[in-house]
Amino acid sequence: MKNYVKWLGQEIKSLNTVGAVMLAFMVGVQLALFLVAPITGLSIITLVATLVGSACTVYMMIGKPINGLLGLISALGFIYVNWTAGHYASVLDQLVFVALIDIPLIVTWKSWGHRIKNGVKHLSFGNWMSTVALMFIIWIPLIVVYTWLGDTNPAWDSLTLVIGAFASIYVFLGYGDSYTLWLMADVVNIALWFTALSAGYSASSLPMLLTMAFYLMTALYGRFVSVWSK
């Protein structure tokens, strides 16, 4: 445990300038939103989840395995936030993320980073076509299932689950292409929370919308600049 705590400190200090600036900006925005709105149990959980989740994506984009612990903490908050919003597919998406990314990163904290040190694997064009086709095939029946379950936004929410699950699988397998899927998932999540904000069915919609936009920025950096692009 002592070694793990020491390692956590080293990982936290490994944040580069780009990541530090991005994270500082997001902390300021989320704190401002939190302080001007009524403070409730939901708003506190949303604040913690969005801040820790933002830190998670920043460390992920630079290839640091500390995002496993950060991701687990944020996922617990996002599960609650999505449940209260009626985004039941997103709840499952977070559970998949925890199982395939957070827990493996926490368990293999000593060695996980070596998997991508010298670059990552990439999908062939044929594998990409198969992935897109399979996602579409799965998405259609999921819309029906989550409509039946009373999801507040079954189409966008189900698509979030499908893309997010495939992205988590490819991260687990060590593919840099996962960032292309994260980009897609972030765009869908932005649509999901924009709809929630427009319809007014979740008090967490604005901070979550801004968080998803931030995720999109980190995914762009991860896809085209960081170790995941090599």
Side-chain angles (χ1 to χ4, degrees), residues 20-159:
V21 171
M22 293 173 69
L23 188 56
F25 171 78
M26 196 59 181
V27 169
V29 170
Q30 293 291 9
L31 282 175
L33 286 177
F34 175 75
L35 293 174
V36 299
I39 298 177
T40 63
L42 176 59
S43 69
I44 293 173
I45 292 174
T46 302
L47 176 66
V48 173
T50 54
L51 291 183
V52 178
S54 296
C56 172
T57 58
V58 166
Y59 280 101
M60 178 182 283
M61 79 180 187
I62 61 175
K64 297 298 180 179
I66 189 178
N67 70 73
L69 177 61
L70 297 175
L72 177 60
I73 296 171
S74 64
L76 295 175
F78 287 146
I79 286 171
Y80 179 77
V81 170
N82 279 294
W83 184 266
T84 61
H87 296 163
Y88 304 130
S90 289
V91 170
L92 180 55
D93 177 42
Q94 290 297 318
L95 292 173
V96 172
F97 190 92
V98 168
L100 294 181
I101 298 180
D102 294 335
I103 292 178
L105 282 170
I106 292 172
V107 172
T108 61
W109 62 275
K110 285 185 177 180
S111 59
W112 188 93
H114 298 305
R115 297 172 60 195
I116 63 172
K117 187 175 182 180
N118 297 315
V120 294
K121 297 181 289 185
H122 291 281
L123 296 173
S124 66
F125 178 78
N127 286 336
W128 260 118
M129 293 300 99
S130 299
T131 297
V132 173
L134 187 55
M135 287 194 298
F136 182 77
I137 291 170
I138 295 173
W139 178 41
I140 301 304
L142 278 181
I143 295 175
V144 177
V145 170
Y146 280 101
T147 298
W148 178 76
L149 290 173
D151 196 289
T152 51
N153 201 331
W156 286 120
D157 202 21
S158 297
L159 189 55

